[in-house]
Amino acid sequence: MPFFIDVILPLPLDKRFTYLVDKYEAEYLMRGMRVTVPFGKSKVYTGIVADIHQNPPGVYEAKPIHQILDKQAIITEHQLKLWKWISAYYMCAEGDVLRAAVPGAFLLESESIVKLITNLDSDDLELDDEEYLIIEALHRQSSLKVQEITQLLDRKNALPVINRLVEKGIVALNQEVYEQYKPKKVRFVRMAEAHSGEAAMHKLLDELERAPKQREIVLNFFSLKAQSVKPVKAKHLLQKSNSSAAILKSLLDKGFLEEYFLETDRNTYSGDAPNSDLVFNEYQEKAFRDIKENFQKDEVCLLHGITSSGKTEIYIRLIQETLKEGKQALYLLPEIALTTQLIQRLQSYFGEQVLVFHSKYSMNERVEVYRHVLANDKKGQIVIGARSAIFLPFSDLGLVVVDEEHEGTFKQFDPAPRYHARDVAVVLANFFKANIILGSATPSLESYFNAQHHKYGLVELNRRYGDVLLPEIEIVDIKTKHKKKLMTGHFSDRLLEEIRVALKEEEQVILFQNRRGFSPILECNTCGHSPQCPNCDVSLTYHSHNNQLRCHYCGYHIAMQQKCMACDSNDISTKGFGTEQIETELKSLFPNHAIGRMDQDTTRGKYGYEKIINSFEQQEIDILVGTQMLTKGLDFRHVSLVGIMNADNLLNFPDFRAHERSFQLMLQVAGRAGRTKKRGKVLIQSYNPYHQIIQQVSANNYSGMYKDQLEERYNYQYPPFFRLIRFTLKSRDYSRTNDAGDWLAKSLSNVFDPYVLGPEFPPVARIRNEYYKNILLKIPQQQSLGKTKTVVHKIMNSFKAIGAFKSVKVVINVDPV
Ligand code: ADP
Ligand code: ZN
Ligand code: ZN
């Protein structure tokens, strides 16, 4: 009887593939090991052994495998189980899950590109003959395809050799180039000990009588010290005295002034550095006890704690207890909130035991984290990561924290698997019988609903740590302000007034505008035309810094136009406004203050985001303008004022979650104000000041929002009362997309009527020259999810069999957000 293995290949295939192995291989192999196998005419892939058995495949002849890559399983049983669950629930291939779940370096294939990543000479590396040949070749040519290496070695399969080199850290696969992060150092100056004090100061100024330029610097130093308690930055001092580095240097050389450096991300938490014996206030204490009680009942626990109530500290204590039991902890955060701020906070408690995992990490860094977690060694105890961290090979998970659980970015949008990391985390925790806590100041309607219906436990924390009050929220009616001519650009008199107050007190300001770019669109005042993207159905957006019109969907751009492209009129103007325009207005309104901007355009690169956060923390920036990136759980200590430039464009977004989202966003951004000592202030500018949501935000009325929105969801049949599956059809042919959409909607309606919506064009119906159409399937609570999906699979199979629809792609999104 021959032996077979079922292999999961990193391809979007409906099934596992069966390969032939011999008796010895069958004995050696274990589920979760990697093998390289031939696939198709000439390709070679690395796949994962998912089963070992003696049943030949019915419809095809099993081919033998090429090689076994591992001595031990690198995928655990828990992972295999989770992949299966994800592929069934989110209706995607196991191969899609595999690709998302393991670092690319584990998945050598014939098309992979291999690069050298060491500076060492081949003779200094311990290499066998074949390894040596590869390295020598890579010294001559910067990169090689696996196929080319196979030819070079003149053997059937070079993958095991390459795999060894990957594991030794000598070569890397498909490697992108990553920036190396160096913490930024800022130079400060202070008066030398010998020269401080009134008398010494006068003596010094006398001494400098004949060096007027140096004297000028010293005078300015005193005037800066007199104005502010902030340490004096060398750069600032030079600007103020209109002087040069050389002149400052002579003062330093003479020993009058001293320079010192601070690493900007090191001293983030100076002042009240946390330590391992954390003392809770009474509210945290109570919440902590309640959470543990919930854990006793094996329930998912939802922690609804207002901004700055000290949730993070509670998570830290929970992690401590988990470690004491010798178990692993996973701390999930939305990608963007994974800042050095939080990482350092955790590291200051747990030191080396904290591993960080997110998409901006290089392949090698990810491999390293993966290995530590797999080994469950000292370094693999705590993982803090973005959504894909749920895929790590935990062996003894004791706790999962999902921070900012309401965040839509926990859901992967593209490509498959389109999973929701919060929901998968619940399943994962269940596999391990681990505790799980979902935390937020503004829980998602779904989670809060689960808590209300006793599916989850609920713990509330209603006081800010240190008893700082929640910020005072003021709504500014900009319609009236316009009428009364009290607007300067996009700023009401009230907002300007409050900004001035804050700046005078040396506090910082955050301004929120949910749009990047200068002004979204250019419009002709004669004929109404606005320039469109040729590839997408959207207007182009004006960006002033490079004077361009850009498409935010495909990146298409042209130079800013002076005349209308349709009618040649000169009378064109920009409509709407974005972050860049706010920044420009601020620069002219507050020329003596530093203005920063945080949006997709200014935060590119691995550390782009951190850099802006750091300089804001260092108070190098007085006013920070930004998009929703600003809202993600950041803890700044000197922000006293938050302004929301325009609440209306949030509220008017065409989506059934728009109101919930607006509430969450506004409350979160408001939560950045007044976190430490003084009560903060928030100004919301709106044309619609009596809008229910704005009123609820200003009263911090979560339960009111919850009640209203829930009623709407009930009336219009949306989650949490109905589950959704969205089908998106796309093709380059307009009528094909239409026909396919009609066919699919009709087939679904035959079974699921009246719960099929569409087909309809999404708000942007053409992107990169592909036409889009959406169908929404609603699933009532009493209808079986499993059976529904089986029917959907059948319909999709018939769809795929129709020749005319061959060029139409269908993307299935379960629980779309
Ligand atoms: P949240 O996560 O709920 O928004 P944080 O955990 O960031 O709130 O806490 C807000 C601030 O209060 C932080 O600066 C934090 O260091 C501080 N803080 C919270 N709890 C404690 C505690 N028990 N001891 C000392 N400082 C605390
Ligand atoms: Zn025109
Ligand atoms: Zn475009």
Side-chain angles (χ1 to χ4, degrees), residues 119 145 164 178 195 235 310 404 464 466 480 559 594 705 758 789:
N119 312 324
K145 270 194 176 185
R164 283 206 302 275
Y178 285 95
H195 300 279
K235 193 169 134 205
E404 314 279 352
R464 285 194 143 185
T480 318
M705 183 284 292
K789 285 174 186 167

Side-chain angles (χ1 to χ4, degrees), residues 533-538 540 551-556 766-768:
C533 175
N535 311 318
C536 312
D537 283 346
V538 288
L540 297 172
C551 170
H552 282 182
Y553 286 84
C554 73
Y556 172 87
R766 185 176 54 116
I767 300 172
R768 294 174 196 272

Side-chain angles (χ1 to χ4, degrees), residues 601-666:
D601 297 324
T602 60
T603 53
R604 290 179 211 284
K606 187 172 177 186
Y607 293 102
Y609 185 67
E610 262 97 338
K611 280 179 196 155
I612 296 178
I613 290 177
N614 275 338
S615 55
F616 194 56
E617 273 174 347
Q618 293 310 303
Q619 295 180 272
E620 291 168 5
I621 295 173
D622 300 310
I623 309 178
L624 185 61
V625 190
T627 55
Q628 25 180 315
M629 286 185 182
L630 276 174
T631 62
K632 317 292 179 197
L634 294 167
D635 189 26
F636 298 117
R637 344 221 87 206
H638 307 282
V639 175
S640 65
L641 175 69
V642 165
I644 295 175
M645 300 305 295
N646 177 330
D648 307 299
N649 60 29
L650 289 174
L651 292 163
N652 298 335
F653 197 75
D655 182 273
F656 72 91
R657 285 193 177 91
H659 285 180
E660 178 192 355
R661 289 260 165 75
S662 311
F663 180 88
Q664 287 162 340
L665 253 168
M666 286 194 261

Side-chain angles (χ1 to χ4, degrees), residues 150-276:
T150 313
Q151 284 159 9
L152 179 84
L153 295 189
D154 193 23
R155 68 183 249 187
K156 190 164 128 217
N157 187 354
L159 267 57
V161 189
I162 302 169
N163 193 52
R164 283 206 302 275
L165 290 170
V166 172
E167 295 203 338
K168 288 183 186 171
I170 299 170
V171 305
L173 302 181
N174 308 327
Q175 179 87 343
E176 315 93 286
V177 183
Y178 285 95
E179 268 179 76
Q180 202 66 56
Y181 182 55
K182 296 200 186 61
K184 186 175 153 202
K185 286 197 174 176
V186 178
R187 183 162 71 134
F188 293 89
V189 288
R190 61 186 166 221
M191 197 43 70
E193 191 75 58
H195 300 279
S196 49
E198 186 99 4
M201 174 184 108
H202 286 294
K203 193 162 158 279
L204 174 61
L205 288 173
D206 286 345
E207 271 181 55
L208 291 174
E209 197 64 58
R210 277 182 300 149
K213 284 188 175 164
Q214 293 177 33
R215 197 163 184 272
E216 187 64 25
I217 290 188
V218 173
L219 280 171
N220 273 298
F221 178 83
F222 286 125
S223 105
L224 280 174
K225 279 312 268 184
Q227 280 166 25
S228 157
V229 293
K230 282 198 248 174
V232 176
K233 282 181 200 132
K235 193 169 134 205
H236 195 182
L237 179 61
L238 287 179
Q239 271 168 359
K240 195 158 183 329
S241 9
N242 208 355
S243 198
S244 73
I247 298 170
L248 176 61
K249 187 163 183 296
S250 41
L251 281 169
L252 294 169
D253 290 345
K254 287 181 193 161
F256 296 146
L257 292 177
E258 287 174 357
E259 64 181 358
Y260 62 106
F261 294 86
L262 290 178
E263 232 168 56
T264 54
D265 50 3
R266 281 281 163 75
N267 62 351
T268 309
Y269 273 87
S270 65
D272 45 351
N275 50 49
S276 50

Side-chain angles (χ1 to χ4, degrees), residues 358-478:
H358 66 76
S359 70
K360 284 187 177 173
Y361 270 41
S362 74
M363 194 96 84
N364 288 358
E365 287 170 304
R366 272 180 274 167
V367 169
E368 215 170 285
V369 174
Y370 193 97
R371 293 252 177 232
H372 280 301
V373 177
L374 184 64
N376 193 8
D377 56 20
K378 198 161 169 294
K379 263 192 171 173
Q381 295 302 297
I382 306 167
V383 177
I384 157 164
R387 58 173 182 243
S388 58
I390 53 155
F391 290 120
L392 287 168
F394 300 101
S395 53
D396 197 7
L397 194 59
L399 174 72
V400 184
V401 175
V402 185
D403 198 1
E404 314 279 352
E405 71 84 30
H406 64 280
E407 266 295 324
T409 50
F410 276 126
K411 173 89 164 141
Q412 167 140 322
F413 178 65
D414 219 19
R418 295 180 173 78
Y419 64 100
H420 197 305
R422 175 196 62 211
D423 300 344
V424 176
V426 171
V427 174
L428 181 71
N430 189 28
F431 284 175
F432 283 96
K433 298 276 165 269
N435 294 324
I436 174 162
I437 180 162
L438 315 180
S440 172
T442 52
S444 64
L445 237 53
E446 286 85 347
S447 294
Y448 204 73
F449 182 83
N450 281 335
Q452 293 295 318
H453 291 78
H454 308 293
K455 218 179 133 194
Y456 293 174
L458 178 64
V459 174
E460 313 239 14
L461 192 54
N462 294 320
R463 297 274 191 119
R464 285 194 143 185
Y465 184 79
D467 269 334
V468 194
L469 289 176
L470 276 174
E472 183 191 337
I473 299 185
E474 177 180 326
I475 305 168
V476 181
D477 176 358
I478 41 180

